[in-house]
Amino acid sequence: MSRIGSTVLQLIVSFIFLGSITACSDRTNLFTGLSQAEGNEIYSSLLEAGIPAEKSSGKEGEIITVPQQMSSEALRILEKKGLPRDKKTSIGEVFKKDSMISSPLEERARYLYALSQELEQTVMDMDGVLSARVHIVLPERSNPGEALSPSSAAVFVKYADGASFPAYVPQVRELIFKSIPGLSGDAQRSVTIAAVPSEAKVDNCVPLLWYGPIALHPEDKFYFLSIVYLFFGMWALSLGIVWLQAKDPSEWPESLLKFKSRFMK
C-alpha cells in the first residue's frame, strides 16, 4: 500500500480510537458493590425502561453503569420501582453477641427485630411487592400482677400498580399469624395488613434508537451518525487515493494533477 494510503488508514484508526475513548468516558457508575441478585434485578429493570445500562463485576460486587446524561433518569426509574431494595438483617446477624451477658430487654429487642426482618424479606420475595414493613407486638406485662397486653402484628406493603398482591392478602395474613409465636385469637383480628399500590408509574420510558445491535439516546443520534459518515467518508477517500496511486499519473484528471502539484510535492 502507498505511503498516502497508509497515512489515511492510520487517521481512520485514530478517529475510531478517539471515538471509543469518548464513548467510554461518558458513562458513570450508578451503583457499586451490589450482590449478583441485586445487580441482575437493577440491570433488567433499566433495560426494560429503555436505559442502555451495562453490568460488570468488581472486587466488591456487581457494578451498574449508565450513560452520564441518563443517570438522573435511571435513578428516578429505579426509585419508583423500589430499587435497590433495603437490605434485611438475618437472625444470625442480629443475635450475634458482642458481650458475655445480655439483658432480657436486649434479647427481646433482638428477637423482635430479627423476626420482623425475616418476615419482611419473605413478603418482599412475592411478585409485585416493592417494599414491606412488619411491626410485632408480643404479650407483655407492664407491671407485676397486671394482665398481659394482647399480642398483634401490623404489616405495611407497597406493591406495583397492576400487581395481583391484593388477591393474596388472606394468605399473607395467615403466613404472618403462624410465623409469630405468641399471637392469640384468629388471624383476622391479630394481624392487620395495609396494602397500598404505588402511585408512581414508569410511563415515560426513554425512547431509544436502534442501529443494528447499538441502542442510542435520541440526543446522541447526531454524534453517532457524524462518526459513521466520517468513517465511511475517510474509508472511501482512502480507497480512492490507493486506486489513484496504482494508476499512471498521466491518466489522472487534470484537476487532480493540479492538486497533486500544489499540495503533494
Side-chain angles (χ1 to χ4, degrees):
M1 185 178 292
S2 65
R3 180 177 59 84
I4 298 176
S6 300
T7 303
V8 173
L9 290 180
Q10 289 175 2
L11 289 174
I12 294 176
V13 173
S14 299
F15 275 116
I16 296 175
F17 179 72
L18 291 175
S20 301
I21 294 178
T22 303
C24 293
S25 62
D26 286 339
R27 301 191 68 86
T28 183
N29 290 343
L30 197 65
F31 294 105
T32 59
L34 298 173
S35 65
Q36 186 173 5
E38 291 173 330
N40 291 338
E41 187 175 14
I42 292 176
Y43 177 66
S44 60
S45 297
L46 290 176
L47 291 183
E48 290 175 0
I51 302 292
E54 292 182 358
K55 183 170 71 73
S56 59
S57 298
K59 294 182 179 180
E60 298 180 356
E62 301 295 318
I63 302 173
I64 302 295
T65 61
V66 297
Q68 188 171 5
Q69 69 273 20
M70 302 176 69
S71 58
S72 59
E73 181 71 14
L75 290 174
R76 184 183 68 84
I77 292 172
L78 292 176
E79 182 181 2
K80 292 181 178 180
K81 291 191 173 186
L83 297 174
R85 302 184 185 278
D86 295 334
K87 293 184 178 180
K88 305 301 178 183
T89 308
S90 65
I91 289 181
E93 294 172 334
V94 174
F95 277 93
K96 185 189 303 181
K97 290 187 177 181
D98 297 328
S99 59
M100 295 293 294
I101 301 175
S102 297
S103 66
L105 180 60
E106 290 176 334
E107 291 289 348
R108 183 181 179 84
R110 289 175 182 170
Y111 174 72
L112 290 178
Y113 178 74
L115 187 57
S116 64
Q117 288 276 290
E118 292 289 332
L119 291 175
E120 287 174 12
Q121 186 61 55
T122 301
V123 175
M124 289 185 63
D125 287 339
M126 301 182 65
D127 292 339
V129 175
L130 301 179
S131 62
R133 299 285 293 174
V134 177
H135 302 277
I136 304 172
V137 178
L138 292 183
E140 184 177 3
R141 184 179 283 105
S142 301
N143 297 310
E146 293 184 357
L148 290 174
S149 60
S151 58
S152 62
V155 183
F156 171 79
V157 177
K158 179 182 285 188
Y159 60 92
D161 185 56
S164 58
F165 177 81
Y168 298 98
V169 167
Q171 290 90 330
V172 174
R173 179 179 283 110
E174 193 70 20
L175 172 69
I176 298 295
F177 180 75
K178 292 183 177 180
S179 300
I180 302 176
L183 286 184
S184 58
D186 57 80
Q188 189 68 30
R189 293 184 177 181
S190 300
V191 180
T192 301
I193 297 181
V196 180
S198 175
E199 296 181 357
K201 300 180 181 179
V202 187
D203 293 332
N204 299 324
C205 295
V206 179
L208 293 181
L209 301 176
W210 290 87
Y211 294 91
I214 303 175
L216 296 175
H217 191 275
E219 296 179 358
D220 298 330
K221 177 182 178 181
F222 172 77
Y223 302 103
F224 175 75
L225 292 180
S226 298
I227 294 175
V228 172
Y229 292 149
L230 178 62
F231 171 78
F232 282 105
M234 297 295 289
W235 175 70
L237 179 61
S238 65
L239 290 180
I241 293 175
V242 172
W243 181 80
L244 288 175
Q245 290 293 322
K247 301 284 289 185
D248 188 89
S250 61
E251 300 178 4
W252 287 16
E254 184 178 353
S255 58
L256 289 179
L257 290 174
K258 293 182 179 179
F259 180 84
K260 181 182 178 181
S261 61
R262 183 173 180 179
F263 299 102
M264 303 172 62
K265 294 180 180 180

